Amino acid sequence: MGTTRKIGILGGTFDPIHVGHLVTAEAVRIEYDLEKVLFIPAANPPHKQGQSVTPATHRYIMTVMATYSNPHFYVSSIEMERPGPSYTIDTVRELVREHGASAEFYFITGADAVADLPNWNDVDDLLDLCHFVATTRPGCVSTIDDVIRQLGPKSAKRIHRIDTPELEISSTDIRERVKQGRSIKYIVPESVESYIGKEGLYRA
């Protein structure tokens, strides 16, 4: 029997990717001894329908730039190559087909997203196909316990939590800072800061 390969999945709009994403991915990689973490920019996020989202190509390039120096981080264009809304279940099924039965997937997400898990498409199948790692801040634990109660015994084995360093950074705040002409240095990797400037992203 082959050895199980543990692979992390970090999906997101990454508009733009920032150091909070990178710190979280590295913390989970070490905690769960993951072979690698796949960063998957969403091409057409269902929860952002009707909102203005930066073109996927820009977000993909920034994600590649941000992750390039870590040999365990990879970027997948899987959702950009598929038409229609980017549902997690479709992505995970495709990754399972791609990597085979020896791979075990760990979907990395925030506690706020886990709180919404009961409303996700085919959540029961999703729990069969991958573990969820909820990155928590103090006060979020009861939310995750509520979700586990709601989803039943299987979810207790498949939903995990990890305390991540206190990084109160959001992509929304970064876009607002750029719009106002304020510095984003050290909140995003230097390469991403340069790219945002060069491409004129997030300006008023």
Side-chain angles (χ1 to χ4, degrees), residues 35-129:
E35 178 189 297
K36 60 183 174 184
V37 177
L38 298 173
F39 286 70
I40 304 181
N44 190 4
H47 63 290
K48 300 266 173 103
Q49 298 297 307
Q51 294 180 35
S52 170
V53 177
T54 304
T57 309
H58 284 311
R59 295 184 286 106
Y60 177 81
I61 291 169
M62 288 190 284
T63 306
V64 170
M65 287 175 145
T67 55
Y68 192 72
S69 63
N70 189 321
H72 303 285
F73 287 177
Y74 293 83
V75 184
S76 167
S77 58
I78 190 169
E79 292 197 352
M80 295 171 64
E81 290 158 11
R82 195 174 60 230
S86 308
Y87 289 109
T88 302
I89 185 64
D90 299 328
T91 300
V92 173
R93 280 177 182 146
E94 206 168 322
L95 289 172
V96 169
R97 280 195 296 273
E98 203 177 287
H99 289 81
S102 67
E104 188 173 48
F105 291 98
Y106 288 73
F107 192 91
I108 305 162
T109 187
D112 50 348
V114 170
D116 191 46
L117 204 53
N119 302 316
W120 286 26
N121 270 27
D122 297 340
V123 68
D124 202 53
D125 288 355
L126 204 46
L127 288 168
D128 287 332
L129 295 175

